[in-house]
Every structure is written in structure tokens, then in C-alpha cells.
Amino acid sequence: MESTATAAMTFAVPSTKAQARYRVLTRPTNPFTVPAGGVAQRPPARHLCIRAAIPRTKKEETVETVREQLENCYLLAGINYKGFTVKQFQELRKTFPESTKLIVAKNTLVYKAVEGTPWETLKPCMKGMNVWLFVHSEEIPAALKPYRDFQREKKLEDNDFTGAVFEGKFYGPDEFKKLETLPTRAEIYATLLGALKAPSSALVSTLQAPARELLMVLKAHIKNLEEQQGLPQ
């Protein structure tokens, strides 16, 4: 019996050691274990968040620029500039007066700036490649004329106005003639002066017209007065 027990113990010991060795080899590495060379170091942090923040900052700056340009703005128009060369674009900028600003911005960013404002009616032309014209003057025809001249000179028939907002109303490409023929300030003053000389009923009906129609009504009225008085046109 003693020899049998001794043989059994001799047989069991190697088995136990083998199992122990197996456990040591397969034990998962402790992530908090300090390596022999010193203090454990973390892997270098990625900078994806920084790179992602840069475009967001630029977008926010663009939206803010558009909002600033909308202050004291009388008209906002889009121009299809697809195919423009850098030289053409630089030349175009120089044709506008100081009261008119030309800005390149994505449609989505411009819409974000105008959303919830009277300029939101510009939405129909939020497609394609637009450069945006901000007019900070009451002289609308004078502000639009430089591009018309540039368009004819460079033969850019396909690069037309895509739309505009004036006094809260949207004007499509086929309605720009109305904006380009609005009377100047001098013409308005002359028309008002002529209206004051007219019968009171005509003056009242003239002053009750909406702002856009008022300009056209006054211009037509002064023309009638000139014809009646035989004044040169």
C-alpha cells in the first residue's frame, strides 16, 4: 500500500506542476503592471478632434461674416460663378463700388446665416455654385450694373444672377429687369416734388402704395406731368 501511495504521489506531482505552468502561460497581462524598464507610458494621443475643429471654426467664421454683411444691406443676390477663372473673379471684384461686397460662401452656410430672417426667401437659389453680392446702398441699379457690363464683356451668358432678395421679396433671374430699372434717389426726389404739385387725391393714392410700387407709380406720375406741361423728356 505504501509503495502504491508513493507511486500515486509521484505521478500526481508532475500533473499538478504542468497545470500550474499552463495557468502561468495563459494568464492575461495586467494592464496596470509596471514594465521592468520603468513607469508605463500611455500611447500618444490622436489629434483627430483638433483637425475636426478647424473646419467647424472656418464655417462659423463664414456664417458670422455673412451675418455682418446683412447689417444695413438693401439687396442680397446670388451669381452663378461656375467656370470663373481666378483672374476673372479678381477683375470682377474691382468693378464694384465700396458699398457692394462680393463673397464666396457655400449655400448651406449662407442659408444658415439667413435662416429665420427676412433674407430667408433667398432659399430658391441655394443650389449650384454661387458668389454672393451684398449691396449696402439704396442705388440698386448702380450696384447691379457692374456685373451686367462684366457679363457682356466676358461673354458669360450662362453665369447669370440666380436670384435676389430686395425688401423681403425674392426675385428670380427673369425678374431682375425690375431691379435694374428702379429709379435712382434723384429720380425719386423729382417724382415726389412732382407729386406734391399734383391734385391731393392723386398724392394720397400715390403715398398709400407699397414701397416697391411707390417708386414705379411716382416715376410714371412725374412722366405724365412732364407730358402735360410739355417739358422735355
Side-chain angles (χ1 to χ4, degrees), residues 15-212:
S15 175
T16 303
K17 290 182 178 181
Q19 292 175 2
R21 282 198 303 270
Y22 180 76
R23 294 191 191 99
V24 171
L25 292 175
T26 58
R27 181 179 299 170
T29 304
N30 187 345
F32 300 100
T33 301
V34 178
V39 180
Q41 296 182 355
R42 295 180 180 178
R46 296 183 179 180
H47 299 287
L48 294 177
C49 58
I50 296 178
R51 286 196 291 268
I54 292 175
R56 281 201 301 269
T57 301
K58 289 182 178 179
K59 290 177 182 178
E60 291 169 358
E61 290 176 355
T62 300
V63 172
E64 186 59 29
T65 298
V66 172
R67 287 173 177 166
E68 290 175 358
Q69 289 297 321
L70 290 176
E71 297 179 7
N72 302 319
C73 184
Y74 289 88
L75 179 141
L76 172 57
I79 300 174
N80 174 21
Y81 78 108
K82 183 178 181 180
F84 270 31
T85 64
V86 175
K87 182 179 180 181
Q88 286 177 330
F89 190 77
Q90 291 174 343
E91 291 176 354
L92 177 60
R93 279 184 183 275
K94 296 177 181 178
T95 63
F96 290 106
E98 294 183 0
S99 59
T100 303
K101 300 297 181 183
L102 201 63
I103 295 178
V104 177
K106 289 185 177 181
N107 298 334
T108 53
L109 299 181
V110 173
Y111 186 72
K112 184 176 181 180
V114 303
E115 190 174 12
T117 73
W119 302 101
E120 189 176 10
T121 52
L122 193 66
K123 187 176 181 180
C125 65
M126 294 287 178
K127 54 186 177 181
M129 297 177 63
N130 285 297
V131 60
W132 304 98
L133 189 70
F134 296 82
V135 179
H136 300 97
S137 169
E138 297 176 351
E139 304 294 343
I140 304 302
L144 299 177
K145 188 176 183 298
Y147 182 71
R148 283 301 189 204
D149 294 341
F150 182 85
Q151 186 183 27
R152 284 192 293 268
E153 179 186 348
K154 303 298 182 181
K155 298 179 180 179
L156 301 171
E157 292 80 6
D158 294 334
N159 297 96
D160 201 0
F161 288 101
T162 57
V165 172
F166 176 62
E167 294 185 348
K169 182 180 183 299
F170 176 77
Y171 289 80
D174 56 339
E175 298 177 293
F176 262 71
K177 193 66 176 178
K178 297 178 182 178
L179 297 173
E180 294 172 298
T181 56
L182 286 173
T184 64
R185 181 181 297 182
E187 290 174 331
I188 294 174
Y189 288 159
T191 303
L192 285 172
L193 181 60
L196 291 173
K197 296 179 181 179
S200 58
S201 59
L203 177 61
V204 170
S205 61
T206 297
L207 295 178
Q208 287 179 342
R212 288 187 301 275

